[in-house]
Amino acid sequence: MTEALAALQHVFGYDAFRGDQAAIIQQVASGGDAVVLMPTGGGKSLCYQIPALVREGTGIVVSPLIALMADQVAALEAVGIQAAFLNSTLDLEQVRKVEQDLLAGELDLLYMAPERLVLPRTVQLLQRAEAQSGLALFAIDEAHCVSQWGHDFRPDYLGLSVLAEAFPRVPRIALTATATRETHRDITERLQLGRARHFVSSFDRPGIQYRIEPKDRARDQLLRLIRAEHEGDAGIVYCMSRRGVEETARWLVDHGVAALPYHAGLDARVRQEHQERFLREDGLVVVATIAFGMGIDKPDVRFVAHLDLPKSIEGYYQETGRAGRDGLPSTAWMAYGLGDVVNQRRFIDAGEGSEQHKRSARAHLDAMLALCETVTCRRVQLLRYFGQDSQPCGNCDTCLNPPETWDASVAAQKLLSALIRLDRERGQKFGSGHVIDVLLGRESDRSRQSRHEELSVWGIGTELSEREWRTALRQLLARGIVEAEGEYGVLVPGPLAGPVLRGEQTVELAVDRRPAKTQRPRGA
Ligand code: ADP
Ligand code: ZN
């Protein structure tokens, strides 16, 4: 272990190991397998880089992030490590050079994508390398990609089981920042890591304050957040569409915030430049689709904002995890509204993919919605999703400012009755706008055409405002009491509507908190 500590200090320039690092490195350096579940920013890379240095031969790193390999290798070379990568961006001559270096035992670390590794030609190359100069280990990064259940399944990862068979003497370490029980089990089984030791770190990121507020005018809300709490701070703003990214970045610049767009539709050079500026300069805000951030290592990102609802808790956690890697206080903020719920459901329903895939996508979305609508501690809910129990944190919006709740049972019944009447008596289904019109008894061309004012449910919901109905509807959707269906997101009673209609179950809903009420004093 002294050798590992020497490498940490002299090669990487750090004083001490963090968390499970020492134990993981010990396990792999002594030839054992390991499964490592560690949150983003926890320090996974050293867990395979140091054993690769300490052991004889080359460490092979499997990673799906081809775009990052050149940067990762450059960073290693900068501290004197012999590193290289093999991927589709290299020409034939460059590939030959890397292969020669590998066989000559001149590489400490070699990065490659899974689709390349599973080629018989590559397996043969690696077998020759093992015989000639030795293989130190296989590190399988982003190992959750092997799980179909997860949000990031890549079929090529399934082929990595070949490693267990072709290289029984080479230790393998699988690493991921996803920690659901299902992914953990899939990694262990599918990568044949039956003999591995398991290292599960706490997924809590105590420095991050989680806040989710109702979407009103999301960009204004974001600007308020930046001005009140994050003036001049580095931050990442996630939007779902490229257009949303472009518009938001421009809007922020117009309002005096130094912001840059980042999405897959931009020219590669522009993307590269924006990423580099974000890493080097202080206080830049990058507005991005999820394409941004994978593997990006900037310790002082002070806030991560979501203007659109992420598709899963895994995605949300990974994206928010890019805030505050230095452990200092930071904010994970999101604005979310009724439209997000309806849109996401619609994307899933209208999308391609098998029924099983859609079911899994819906389950992921439902868990995300439950987090948005929870009236108890968000951190407790997040950690429970990753299989870890905890106490209310005192540092999330629901802890700091517990939402008021009200008995919405009658309102829910009225809404469900309206859906049922419209369907039974008129054979019609509508989206939220018109359903709320019916509840409020607001005439429109549509209502006149279909004589909705003759229905018994016409105007039965005037005790709530339109805004209150939208708030209630959003929560009822999140809880499966109402469902949005089909291409147009029309509303129908959800799987849990029955007991509510029959009065067997009461419905407690939260009163929407006003935006940006929860604030942390600066510097606290
Ligand atoms: P992950 O891959 O788990 O997201 P990284 O391996 O990129 O995390 O590490 C996150 C950051 O923490 C990096 O800047 C890394 O250099 C730093 N780091 C890792 N281990 C240590 C340590 N023992 N001491 C100090 N800094 C560390
Ligand atoms: Zn909390």
Side-chain angles (χ1 to χ4, degrees), residues 266-332:
L266 289 173
D267 188 69
R269 273 214 320 277
V270 175
R271 268 200 330 252
Q272 179 78 15
E273 186 205 312
H274 289 183
Q275 174 172 325
E276 275 167 15
R277 284 189 58 193
F278 180 68
L279 291 175
R280 290 212 188 103
E281 296 175 25
D282 283 336
L284 277 187
V285 174
V286 163
V287 186
T289 52
I290 50 168
F292 184 78
M294 276 268 219
I296 281 194
D297 181 17
K298 182 172 172 68
D300 59 346
V301 175
R302 290 274 69 83
F303 70 94
V304 168
H306 282 92
L307 295 187
D308 295 303
L309 183 71
K311 293 183 177 59
S312 68
I313 291 193
E314 287 96 332
Y316 171 76
Y317 184 81
Q318 213 160 58
E319 285 147 27
T320 55
R322 291 172 188 136
R325 282 178 170 219
D326 53 12
L328 297 174
S330 51
T331 310

Side-chain angles (χ1 to χ4, degrees), residues 414 438-442 458-465 468-469:
K414 287 180 176 175
V438 169
L439 288 164
L440 295 176
R442 272 200 313 224
W458 181 254
I460 52 168
T462 51
E463 71 276 22
L464 297 186
S465 68
E468 287 166 329
W469 272 118

Side-chain angles (χ1 to χ4, degrees), residues 149-172:
W149 198 91
H151 61 304
D152 207 9
F153 174 58
R154 296 179 194 236
D156 286 316
Y157 265 70
L158 293 174
L160 295 177
S161 60
V162 69
L163 297 179
E165 292 138 25
F167 304 93
R169 284 177 303 277
V170 182
R172 288 170 300 135

Side-chain angles (χ1 to χ4, degrees), residues 80-91:
I81 295 173
Q82 308 289 320
F85 62 88
L86 277 179
N87 67 30
S88 47
T89 66
L90 299 184
D91 62 33

Side-chain angles (χ1 to χ4, degrees), residues 8 14 16-18 21 38-46 297 325:
L8 178 78
Y14 298 130
F17 288 114
R18 268 192 205 159
Q21 278 177 336
M38 196 187 274
T40 305
K44 287 186 282 301
S45 319
L46 291 183
D297 181 17
R325 282 178 170 219

Side-chain angles (χ1 to χ4, degrees), residues 33 62 250:
D33 295 339
V62 188
R250 212 171 309 126

Side-chain angles (χ1 to χ4, degrees), residues 376-380 391-400:
T376 58
C377 176
R378 297 211 198 270
R379 196 180 311 270
V380 166
Q391 295 299 311
C393 72
N395 184 29
C396 69
D397 53 2
T398 51
C399 280
L400 291 168

